[in-house]
Amino acid sequence: MRVALELEIPSDVCHIEHVVSEVTACCAGLALPPRALTLRVPVALTEALANAIRYGNCADVSKRVRVRAVVSDVALVLEVHDEGPGFDLGRCLRDCTVPAAREREDGRGLFLMQALMDRLEHSADGGSVVRMTMFRA
């Protein structure tokens, strides 16, 4: 296993596109399916970063968000770590395809992360860590 990339950014959404580009470029040589690099990784990572900035760190630019991409022969693991108080993944994760949820403007990020990645996990470690795993075929 090796760490392919580690980045740290202030809690400002203007940094999301750069981070997603860096991670996607880093993953380009990993023999992942093209759809993984053009859809799954960028969308899931964008949602994780937006949540960390907006909800975890409350858009406080003095707080940082750390991103780590770990590659092994088995999987790509993306970790997004914020300095927030944490959250309950089970309570926050909801099915956005049901009629009652379709009109809401929030609550889709975790749903998309779970749908696009093979595994979605959360832990608290001096903030929140969202870990997304994509197994290599």
Side-chain angles (χ1 to χ4, degrees), residues 74-105:
V74 177
L76 164 65
V77 179
L78 301 173
E79 295 177 345
V80 177
H81 186 167
D82 65 48
E83 297 179 25
F87 66 97
D88 182 334
L89 180 61
R91 286 187 55 208
C92 294
L93 189 60
R94 57 181 162 266
D95 184 351
C96 296
T97 64
V98 297
R102 288 186 197 146
E103 299 300 317
R104 292 184 63 146
E105 293 185 18

mmCIF file of all heavy atoms in Angstrom, residues 74-105:
data_model
loop_
_atom_site.group_PDB
_atom_site.id
_atom_site.type_symbol
_atom_site.label_atom_id
_atom_site.label_comp_id
_atom_site.label_asym_id
_atom_site.label_seq_id
_atom_site.Cartn_x
_atom_site.Cartn_y
_atom_site.Cartn_z
ATOM 1 N N VAL A 74 -5.474 -3.684 -4.294
ATOM 2 C CA VAL A 74 -6.876 -4.052 -4.117
ATOM 3 C C VAL A 74 -7.832 -2.877 -4.300
ATOM 4 O O VAL A 74 -8.927 -3.045 -4.828
ATOM 5 C CB VAL A 74 -7.081 -4.669 -2.710
ATOM 6 C CG1 VAL A 74 -8.528 -4.999 -2.452
ATOM 7 C CG2 VAL A 74 -6.204 -5.887 -2.539
ATOM 8 N N ALA A 75 -7.428 -1.679 -3.869
ATOM 9 C CA ALA A 75 -8.401 -0.580 -3.837
ATOM 10 C C ALA A 75 -7.746 0.793 -3.879
ATOM 11 O O ALA A 75 -6.560 0.950 -3.598
ATOM 12 C CB ALA A 75 -9.235 -0.682 -2.564
ATOM 13 N N LEU A 76 -8.595 1.755 -4.210
ATOM 14 C CA LEU A 76 -8.294 3.171 -4.045
ATOM 15 C C LEU A 76 -9.123 3.628 -2.849
ATOM 16 O O LEU A 76 -10.336 3.399 -2.805
ATOM 17 C CB LEU A 76 -8.710 3.961 -5.287
ATOM 18 C CG LEU A 76 -8.811 5.480 -5.132
ATOM 19 C CD1 LEU A 76 -7.446 6.092 -4.850
ATOM 20 C CD2 LEU A 76 -9.438 6.097 -6.372
ATOM 21 N N VAL A 77 -8.479 4.227 -1.863
ATOM 22 C CA VAL A 77 -9.179 4.720 -0.687
ATOM 23 C C VAL A 77 -8.973 6.221 -0.607
ATOM 24 O O VAL A 77 -7.837 6.703 -0.609
ATOM 25 C CB VAL A 77 -8.665 4.046 0.612
ATOM 26 C CG1 VAL A 77 -9.393 4.609 1.828
ATOM 27 C CG2 VAL A 77 -8.825 2.535 0.537
ATOM 28 N N LEU A 78 -10.075 6.955 -0.556
ATOM 29 C CA LEU A 78 -10.046 8.408 -0.420
ATOM 30 C C LEU A 78 -10.538 8.768 0.968
ATOM 31 O O LEU A 78 -11.609 8.305 1.388
ATOM 32 C CB LEU A 78 -10.939 9.064 -1.467
ATOM 33 C CG LEU A 78 -10.601 8.762 -2.919
ATOM 34 C CD1 LEU A 78 -11.666 9.345 -3.843
ATOM 35 C CD2 LEU A 78 -9.234 9.305 -3.276
ATOM 36 N N GLU A 79 -9.781 9.583 1.674
ATOM 37 C CA GLU A 79 -10.177 10.044 3.005
ATOM 38 C C GLU A 79 -10.261 11.561 3.002
ATOM 39 O O GLU A 79 -9.350 12.230 2.518
ATOM 40 C CB GLU A 79 -9.167 9.595 4.064
ATOM 41 C CG GLU A 79 -9.100 8.102 4.228
ATOM 42 C CD GLU A 79 -8.051 7.674 5.234
ATOM 43 O OE1 GLU A 79 -7.181 8.481 5.621
ATOM 44 O OE2 GLU A 79 -8.094 6.505 5.636
ATOM 45 N N VAL A 80 -11.348 12.074 3.554
ATOM 46 C CA VAL A 80 -11.538 13.514 3.697
ATOM 47 C C VAL A 80 -11.765 13.765 5.181
ATOM 48 O O VAL A 80 -12.710 13.250 5.777
ATOM 49 C CB VAL A 80 -12.737 14.012 2.859
ATOM 50 C CG1 VAL A 80 -12.953 15.500 3.077
ATOM 51 C CG2 VAL A 80 -12.494 13.718 1.379
ATOM 52 N N HIS A 81 -10.866 14.564 5.768
ATOM 53 C CA HIS A 81 -10.835 14.792 7.211
ATOM 54 C C HIS A 81 -11.088 16.268 7.486
ATOM 55 O O HIS A 81 -10.380 17.122 6.986
ATOM 56 C CB HIS A 81 -9.467 14.377 7.735
ATOM 57 C CG HIS A 81 -9.328 14.426 9.225
ATOM 58 N ND1 HIS A 81 -8.281 13.841 9.868
ATOM 59 C CD2 HIS A 81 -10.085 14.964 10.194
ATOM 60 C CE1 HIS A 81 -8.400 14.048 11.176
ATOM 61 N NE2 HIS A 81 -9.479 14.730 11.382
ATOM 62 N N ASP A 82 -12.122 16.553 8.287
ATOM 63 C CA ASP A 82 -12.389 17.943 8.674
ATOM 64 C C ASP A 82 -12.155 18.119 10.167
ATOM 65 O O ASP A 82 -11.809 17.166 10.860
ATOM 66 C CB ASP A 82 -13.815 18.372 8.262
ATOM 67 C CG ASP A 82 -14.912 17.610 8.981
ATOM 68 O OD1 ASP A 82 -14.864 17.473 10.217
ATOM 69 O OD2 ASP A 82 -15.855 17.158 8.295
ATOM 70 N N GLU A 83 -12.328 19.334 10.655
ATOM 71 C CA GLU A 83 -12.099 19.644 12.066
ATOM 72 C C GLU A 83 -13.409 19.828 12.823
ATOM 73 O O GLU A 83 -13.430 20.410 13.902
ATOM 74 C CB GLU A 83 -11.243 20.903 12.181
ATOM 75 C CG GLU A 83 -9.867 20.746 11.575
ATOM 76 C CD GLU A 83 -9.043 22.020 11.679
ATOM 77 O OE1 GLU A 83 -9.285 22.853 12.574
ATOM 78 O OE2 GLU A 83 -8.135 22.186 10.847
ATOM 79 N N GLY A 84 -14.495 19.350 12.248
ATOM 80 C CA GLY A 84 -15.814 19.543 12.844
ATOM 81 C C GLY A 84 -16.120 18.587 13.979
ATOM 82 O O GLY A 84 -15.319 17.723 14.329
ATOM 83 N N PRO A 85 -17.333 18.720 14.535
ATOM 84 C CA PRO A 85 -17.738 17.930 15.698
ATOM 85 C C PRO A 85 -18.129 16.496 15.369
ATOM 86 O O PRO A 85 -18.315 15.689 16.264
ATOM 87 C CB PRO A 85 -18.942 18.698 16.237
ATOM 88 C CG PRO A 85 -19.523 19.349 15.029
ATOM 89 C CD PRO A 85 -18.336 19.702 14.165
ATOM 90 N N GLY A 86 -18.268 16.165 14.102
ATOM 91 C CA GLY A 86 -18.653 14.814 13.719
ATOM 92 C C GLY A 86 -20.147 14.719 13.444
ATOM 93 O O GLY A 86 -20.896 15.667 13.663
ATOM 94 N N PHE A 87 -20.556 13.568 12.968
ATOM 95 C CA PHE A 87 -21.956 13.332 12.658
ATOM 96 C C PHE A 87 -22.215 11.844 12.694
ATOM 97 O O PHE A 87 -21.295 11.039 12.739
ATOM 98 C CB PHE A 87 -22.319 13.916 11.288
ATOM 99 C CG PHE A 87 -21.630 13.249 10.125
ATOM 100 C CD1 PHE A 87 -22.268 12.266 9.393
ATOM 101 C CD2 PHE A 87 -20.343 13.606 9.762
ATOM 102 C CE1 PHE A 87 -21.641 11.653 8.326
ATOM 103 C CE2 PHE A 87 -19.708 13.000 8.689
ATOM 104 C CZ PHE A 87 -20.360 12.011 7.972
ATOM 105 N N ASP A 88 -23.485 11.482 12.680
ATOM 106 C CA ASP A 88 -23.898 10.087 12.689
ATOM 107 C C ASP A 88 -24.237 9.696 11.253
ATOM 108 O O ASP A 88 -25.265 10.130 10.718
ATOM 109 C CB ASP A 88 -25.115 9.936 13.610
ATOM 110 C CG ASP A 88 -25.592 8.504 13.728
ATOM 111 O OD1 ASP A 88 -25.373 7.705 12.796
ATOM 112 O OD2 ASP A 88 -26.210 8.182 14.751
ATOM 113 N N LEU A 89 -23.394 8.905 10.626
ATOM 114 C CA LEU A 89 -23.585 8.526 9.232
ATOM 115 C C LEU A 89 -24.941 7.855 9.020
ATOM 116 O O LEU A 89 -25.653 8.171 8.072
ATOM 117 C CB LEU A 89 -22.455 7.612 8.762
ATOM 118 C CG LEU A 89 -22.522 7.127 7.309
ATOM 119 C CD1 LEU A 89 -22.472 8.293 6.337
ATOM 120 C CD2 LEU A 89 -21.388 6.150 7.030
ATOM 121 N N GLY A 90 -25.302 6.959 9.899
ATOM 122 C CA GLY A 90 -26.576 6.259 9.776
ATOM 123 C C GLY A 90 -27.777 7.191 9.791
ATOM 124 O O GLY A 90 -28.736 6.998 9.051
ATOM 125 N N ARG A 91 -27.731 8.206 10.625
ATOM 126 C CA ARG A 91 -28.850 9.151 10.711
ATOM 127 C C ARG A 91 -28.866 10.131 9.543
ATOM 128 O O ARG A 91 -29.919 10.609 9.141
ATOM 129 C CB ARG A 91 -28.789 9.932 12.023
ATOM 130 C CG ARG A 91 -29.188 9.089 13.224
ATOM 131 C CD ARG A 91 -29.282 9.896 14.488
ATOM 132 N NE ARG A 91 -30.182 11.033 14.309
ATOM 133 C CZ ARG A 91 -30.085 12.166 14.971
ATOM 134 N NH1 ARG A 91 -29.122 12.325 15.859
ATOM 135 N NH2 ARG A 91 -30.927 13.147 14.772
ATOM 136 N N CYS A 92 -27.717 10.465 9.022
ATOM 137 C CA CYS A 92 -27.627 11.473 7.959
ATOM 138 C C CYS A 92 -27.817 10.891 6.563
ATOM 139 O O CYS A 92 -28.156 11.618 5.634
ATOM 140 C CB CYS A 92 -26.274 12.181 8.027
ATOM 141 S SG CYS A 92 -26.049 13.162 9.520
ATOM 142 N N LEU A 93 -27.605 9.601 6.407
ATOM 143 C CA LEU A 93 -27.712 8.957 5.104
ATOM 144 C C LEU A 93 -29.165 8.607 4.827
ATOM 145 O O LEU A 93 -29.798 7.916 5.598
ATOM 146 C CB LEU A 93 -26.857 7.693 5.098
ATOM 147 C CG LEU A 93 -26.644 6.979 3.785
ATOM 148 C CD1 LEU A 93 -25.968 7.884 2.771
ATOM 149 C CD2 LEU A 93 -25.796 5.745 4.004
ATOM 150 N N ARG A 94 -29.698 9.141 3.734
ATOM 151 C CA ARG A 94 -31.091 8.823 3.385
ATOM 152 C C ARG A 94 -31.210 8.569 1.891
ATOM 153 O O ARG A 94 -30.393 9.032 1.105
ATOM 154 C CB ARG A 94 -32.036 9.928 3.836
ATOM 155 C CG ARG A 94 -31.750 11.291 3.311
ATOM 156 C CD ARG A 94 -32.777 12.298 3.875
ATOM 157 N NE ARG A 94 -32.305 13.651 3.740
ATOM 158 C CZ ARG A 94 -31.655 14.331 4.656
ATOM 159 N NH1 ARG A 94 -31.385 13.787 5.812
ATOM 160 N NH2 ARG A 94 -31.265 15.566 4.440
ATOM 161 N N ASP A 95 -32.266 7.847 1.550
ATOM 162 C CA ASP A 95 -32.532 7.499 0.161
ATOM 163 C C ASP A 95 -33.164 8.696 -0.537
ATOM 164 O O ASP A 95 -34.305 9.054 -0.258
ATOM 165 C CB ASP A 95 -33.441 6.282 0.098
ATOM 166 C CG ASP A 95 -33.678 5.808 -1.320
ATOM 167 O OD1 ASP A 95 -33.285 6.504 -2.274
ATOM 168 O OD2 ASP A 95 -34.268 4.719 -1.469
ATOM 169 N N CYS A 96 -32.440 9.275 -1.446
ATOM 170 C CA CYS A 96 -32.925 10.483 -2.148
ATOM 171 C C CYS A 96 -33.826 10.159 -3.319
ATOM 172 O O CYS A 96 -34.291 11.071 -4.006
ATOM 173 C CB CYS A 96 -31.734 11.303 -2.621
ATOM 174 S SG CYS A 96 -30.761 11.928 -1.265
ATOM 175 N N THR A 97 -34.073 8.887 -3.565
ATOM 176 C CA THR A 97 -34.934 8.516 -4.685
ATOM 177 C C THR A 97 -36.399 8.400 -4.288
ATOM 178 O O THR A 97 -37.248 8.308 -5.171
ATOM 179 C CB THR A 97 -34.472 7.184 -5.315
ATOM 180 O OG1 THR A 97 -34.607 6.126 -4.353
ATOM 181 C CG2 THR A 97 -33.028 7.277 -5.777
ATOM 182 N N VAL A 98 -36.684 8.399 -2.998
ATOM 183 C CA VAL A 98 -38.086 8.291 -2.568
ATOM 184 C C VAL A 98 -38.785 9.629 -2.797
ATOM 185 O O VAL A 98 -38.160 10.692 -2.718
ATOM 186 C CB VAL A 98 -38.202 7.859 -1.085
ATOM 187 C CG1 VAL A 98 -37.610 6.469 -0.883
ATOM 188 C CG2 VAL A 98 -37.550 8.849 -0.161
ATOM 189 N N PRO A 99 -40.076 9.599 -3.100
ATOM 190 C CA PRO A 99 -40.797 10.833 -3.442
ATOM 191 C C PRO A 99 -40.655 11.958 -2.412
ATOM 192 O O PRO A 99 -40.482 13.114 -2.785
ATOM 193 C CB PRO A 99 -42.249 10.368 -3.563
ATOM 194 C CG PRO A 99 -42.134 8.931 -3.967
ATOM 195 C CD PRO A 99 -40.913 8.416 -3.259
ATOM 196 N N ALA A 100 -40.696 11.646 -1.135
ATOM 197 C CA ALA A 100 -40.620 12.685 -0.106
ATOM 198 C C ALA A 100 -39.287 13.426 -0.120
ATOM 199 O O ALA A 100 -39.207 14.581 0.281
ATOM 200 C CB ALA A 100 -40.859 12.073 1.271
ATOM 201 N N ALA A 101 -38.240 12.784 -0.585
ATOM 202 C CA ALA A 101 -36.907 13.397 -0.566
ATOM 203 C C ALA A 101 -36.566 14.128 -1.862
ATOM 204 O O ALA A 101 -35.610 14.895 -1.896
ATOM 205 C CB ALA A 101 -35.861 12.329 -0.299
ATOM 206 N N ARG A 102 -37.308 13.899 -2.905
ATOM 207 C CA ARG A 102 -36.974 14.490 -4.206
ATOM 208 C C ARG A 102 -37.024 16.004 -4.220
ATOM 209 O O ARG A 102 -36.306 16.639 -4.976
ATOM 210 C CB ARG A 102 -37.900 13.943 -5.286
ATOM 211 C CG ARG A 102 -37.589 12.519 -5.622
ATOM 212 C CD ARG A 102 -38.422 12.048 -6.782
ATOM 213 N NE ARG A 102 -38.400 10.600 -6.801
ATOM 214 C CZ ARG A 102 -39.417 9.861 -7.175
ATOM 215 N NH1 ARG A 102 -40.533 10.418 -7.587
ATOM 216 N NH2 ARG A 102 -39.310 8.562 -7.161
ATOM 217 N N GLU A 103 -37.866 16.599 -3.425
ATOM 218 C CA GLU A 103 -38.024 18.054 -3.414
ATOM 219 C C GLU A 103 -36.997 18.763 -2.528
ATOM 220 O O GLU A 103 -36.817 19.957 -2.634
ATOM 221 C CB GLU A 103 -39.441 18.439 -2.956
ATOM 222 C CG GLU A 103 -40.536 17.891 -3.861
ATOM 223 C CD GLU A 103 -40.429 18.394 -5.288
ATOM 224 O OE1 GLU A 103 -40.166 19.602 -5.482
ATOM 225 O OE2 GLU A 103 -40.582 17.575 -6.213
ATOM 226 N N ARG A 104 -36.340 18.004 -1.674
ATOM 227 C CA ARG A 104 -35.346 18.605 -0.783
ATOM 228 C C ARG A 104 -34.113 19.016 -1.560
ATOM 229 O O ARG A 104 -33.733 18.374 -2.533
ATOM 230 C CB ARG A 104 -34.949 17.613 0.312
ATOM 231 C CG ARG A 104 -36.073 17.326 1.280
ATOM 232 C CD ARG A 104 -35.586 16.431 2.361
ATOM 233 N NE ARG A 104 -34.547 17.133 3.110
ATOM 234 C CZ ARG A 104 -34.351 16.985 4.402
ATOM 235 N NH1 ARG A 104 -35.082 16.175 5.090
ATOM 236 N NH2 ARG A 104 -33.395 17.645 4.992
ATOM 237 N N GLU A 105 -33.475 20.083 -1.120
ATOM 238 C CA GLU A 105 -32.262 20.556 -1.778
ATOM 239 C C GLU A 105 -30.997 20.074 -1.081
ATOM 240 O O GLU A 105 -29.903 20.337 -1.541
ATOM 241 C CB GLU A 105 -32.272 22.086 -1.844
ATOM 242 C CG GLU A 105 -33.361 22.606 -2.759
ATOM 243 C CD GLU A 105 -33.303 24.104 -2.932
ATOM 244 O OE1 GLU A 105 -32.252 24.695 -2.628
ATOM 245 O OE2 GLU A 105 -34.307 24.671 -3.364
#
